[in-house]
Amino acid sequence: MKEEREAKDFYGEHYAMDYIQYSIDKLGLSLENLPALRKLTEDQSYRIRVIVEEKQRQNDQYKSIEDHDVLLLGLIDILLAIVYDRLTNGNELNEANSHINIHRLAATLACFVEFDDVIQMLRSFYRRSCIYPYYRHKEIAKMCVQHLTAQLATEERRIWIQEQLLHAYNAFKTTDCAVLNHYFIKDFIRYAELGLDTEALQQCALNEVHQDSLGFGEDVLVQKMLRDIMAQEESDSTDSDDYESTDESDSDSESIASVDQLSNPNENVLEKLMNLNLSG
């Protein structure tokens, strides 16, 4: 049901255009690494304490969880969605779309999915990163996986997780369109504070599924759009030649050709893309 809905929501033209544009100028995004981890501020620590104390009677339930697998996979899914939002929004909370990004990218929040394993969770994240956000590219999703992996390997992983969850908490608390997600995030904040199994978390190796096809026939779509763009450029070039004066000198023709090359800096990029294995 989930993948059927994703297939219906996949917009091939948007994906193909973003794929090509990313190869040219990274979609105009800086995509720099997120800022170095800082200690939680007093306000952040206070907010976590308040959220935990809201369900103080249930604290023992978080501490006595035996099977962490489903919770950890859901947590990682949400963290990847948060990192994607932060990378594409200049590490700022965007009141217009941060809650939408996080909600749609994380199937844990959008569909309340429970994943069976890491591969299934990562495949879901890669697919949804090319369907729902404004900027759609697997390379951005791959950066999120790499950043998350690096942060989970540090001693301060719990603080980093709490900081990301607070980002999502702030995104959802100002909107009514994802009320359940707001409460869901609060539960994960309690879990991170009271019951997080850091050893099990470290064992969740984020395997490489980046090269796998998304299952939308996306390679064919990108190749078709590339052919259309290059055909249009050739057509435009031919049309412009028709207007050239027949008595132009050879030197003038060479000069025009040089200008044309300078005015089409993306031509070589398009030709190279035609020969790429696009699943990568």
Side-chain angles (χ1 to χ4, degrees):
M1 181 69 71
K2 168 181 165 293
E3 294 207 352
E4 290 178 3
R5 177 59 186 270
E6 290 172 353
K8 290 180 180 178
D9 291 344
F10 179 74
Y11 182 30
E13 185 174 345
H14 187 151
Y15 170 82
M17 285 301 298
D18 277 9
Y19 190 102
I20 295 169
Q21 195 64 41
Y22 182 89
S23 302
I24 295 171
D25 65 358
K26 298 291 189 292
L27 293 167
L29 301 171
S30 61
L31 294 177
E32 298 175 355
N33 289 332
L34 296 176
L37 177 68
R38 298 166 296 184
K39 291 183 178 180
L40 295 176
T41 65
E42 291 185 7
D43 182 65
Q44 288 174 323
S45 297
Y46 171 76
R47 179 54 51 197
I48 291 173
R49 187 165 62 252
V50 169
I51 291 173
V52 170
E53 290 176 354
E54 282 179 357
K55 291 189 175 182
Q56 194 166 10
R57 294 181 179 179
Q58 300 178 13
N59 285 359
D60 289 341
Q61 295 180 17
Y62 291 96
K63 296 177 181 178
S64 60
I65 295 173
E66 295 183 0
D67 186 0
H68 292 260
D69 291 351
V70 172
L71 281 171
L72 290 176
L73 290 173
L75 174 62
I76 293 172
D77 184 43
I78 293 171
L79 291 173
L80 287 171
I82 295 168
V83 174
Y84 199 105
D85 174 68
R86 299 187 76 161
L87 275 178
T88 55
N89 273 322
N91 198 41
E92 298 291 335
L93 179 66
N94 187 320
E95 293 185 0
N97 65 28
S98 282
H99 63 286
I100 297 173
N101 283 340
I102 298 169
H103 167 76
R104 290 182 174 177
L105 282 166
T108 301
L109 297 175
C111 317
F112 300 107
V113 170
E114 292 186 352
F115 296 105
D116 296 326
D117 53 49
V118 173
I119 294 294
Q120 186 186 48
M121 181 271 297
L122 281 179
R123 174 176 167 77
S124 172
F125 173 66
Y126 276 118
R127 280 169 60 91
R128 298 179 76 84
S129 70
C130 295
I131 301 172
Y132 297 114
Y134 184 74
Y135 299 107
R136 305 174 185 181
H137 201 289
K138 281 200 294 184
E139 281 297 328
I140 303 176
K142 182 180 180 181
M143 290 180 190
C144 296
V145 173
Q146 292 172 338
H147 185 77
L148 175 65
T149 301
Q151 292 300 325
L152 295 186
T154 66
E155 293 295 328
E156 296 80 14
R157 65 184 70 87
R158 187 191 302 271
I159 295 175
W160 181 82
I161 290 171
Q162 290 173 324
E163 183 182 20
Q164 308 317 306
L165 291 174
L166 284 172
H167 177 87
Y169 170 83
N170 290 326
F172 288 128
K173 76 176 183 179
T174 58
T175 178
D176 294 329
C177 73
V179 175
L180 289 178
N181 286 175
H182 175 69
Y183 292 111
F184 221 64
I185 292 296
K186 290 172 73 172
D187 272 342
F188 270 105
I189 289 174
R190 296 184 187 102
Y191 172 68
E193 178 69 14
L194 300 171
L196 181 64
D197 187 334
T198 55
E199 291 185 4
L201 182 64
Q202 284 183 285
Q203 293 174 3
C204 289
L206 301 185
N207 298 283
E208 181 62 68
V209 298
H210 177 256
Q211 301 295 335
D212 294 352
S213 170
L214 297 173
F216 303 127
E218 64 275 7
D219 293 3
V220 176
L221 291 169
V222 173
Q223 291 284 8
K224 180 180 182 302
M225 180 163 286
L226 283 168
R227 285 193 295 269
D228 291 345
I229 292 173
M230 295 181 73
Q232 183 62 47
E233 287 192 349
E234 290 176 2
S235 175
D236 292 344
S237 176
T238 302
D239 291 343
S240 65
D241 289 344
D242 292 340
Y243 290 99
E244 290 181 4
S245 174
T246 57
D247 60 350
E248 287 179 332
S249 65
D250 291 340
S251 60
D252 289 339
S253 297
E254 291 175 0
S255 175
I256 292 172
S258 298
V259 172
D260 285 344
Q261 289 177 355
L262 290 173
S263 64
N264 291 284
N266 300 330
E267 185 174 357
N268 290 336
V269 176
L270 296 175
E271 290 177 352
K272 289 178 181 178
L273 280 171
M274 286 294 293
N275 298 318
L276 285 179
N277 178 357
L278 296 176
S279 293

